[in-house]
Amino acid sequence: MAASNLILSIGEIPEEGLNLAGELPMSVYDLKDGLARAKSPLRYDLQVSRADQFVILLGSLAVDFSLTCVHTSKPFDHQVRLDPYQESVEMENPEFIDLTERIREDTLLALPAYPSAPDSEASFPASDPEQHRGLEKDADGSSAWDALDGLQNQ
């Protein structure tokens, strides 16, 4: 069963570092827009160490999402894999640190801004410039550009 938070006691991080591997539940994402939905727990494999007032994370993160394609509006599967994952987190509290929100945000930031399904490009082939040749003029031979040029000259 996945832990609901990744909280570490600062005093329990040994000088040589600490290996952490596990999962955070899909509920850490709690995404409301419906365009992205976690399909798997967030899997982490991290080496955790301390340096001055920072906790250093090295390792990997992975989570599977269902995203909505911006071209077809159909859902498709997408894996976010941050490997290698490197992060430094300032210790705001000398006793413990909650890494949940940091690794959650890092995986969300790795999602594409405009998700496009791998097969959506086949639905929208690149247009051929030749097929549009001659369409710049209306049937009567006038052009929208001619009308705009006329306004500028007044």
Side-chain angles (χ1 to χ4, degrees):
M1 182 171 175
S4 60
N5 287 315
L6 183 54
I7 300 174
L8 300 178
S9 171
I10 301 295
E12 292 180 11
I13 301 174
E15 189 75 27
E16 66 276 3
L18 177 68
N19 288 317
L20 289 176
E23 296 180 339
L24 290 173
M26 294 183 292
S27 61
V28 300
Y29 289 102
D30 191 31
L31 301 171
K32 305 283 188 213
D33 66 6
L35 298 176
R37 181 177 58 81
K39 289 186 67 176
S40 74
L42 190 163
R43 300 171 300 280
Y44 58 88
D45 186 4
L46 300 169
Q47 173 70 26
V48 181
S49 58
R50 290 185 299 175
D52 297 321
Q53 294 299 313
F54 294 91
V55 171
I56 309 300
L57 307 173
L58 301 171
S60 64
L61 304 174
V63 61
D64 299 319
F65 283 93
S66 175
L67 303 178
T68 301
C69 177
V70 296
H71 300 292
T72 64
S73 298
K74 294 180 182 175
F76 69 98
D77 293 339
H78 178 78
Q79 183 183 60
V80 170
R81 182 158 182 79
L82 302 177
D83 187 8
Y85 176 69
Q86 303 172 11
E87 187 65 68
S88 62
V89 182
E90 188 170 3
M91 291 185 272
E92 297 173 1
N93 182 321
E95 295 179 23
F96 69 90
I97 188 166
D98 187 348
L99 301 173
T100 310
E101 193 62 25
R102 177 59 63 106
I103 63 176
R104 173 193 180 273
E105 284 186 26
D106 287 343
T107 54
L108 287 175
L109 289 171
L111 288 172
Y114 299 98
S116 182
D119 61 348
S120 70
E121 295 300 321
S123 302
F124 300 95
S127 66
D128 178 7
E130 290 297 317
Q131 78 185 39
H132 300 293
R133 195 161 309 283
L135 295 179
E136 54 273 350
K137 300 244 183 223
D138 289 336
D140 65 359
S142 66
S143 154
W145 295 112
D146 293 338
L148 289 173
D149 288 339
L151 289 174
Q152 183 179 6
N153 294 332
Q154 292 181 359

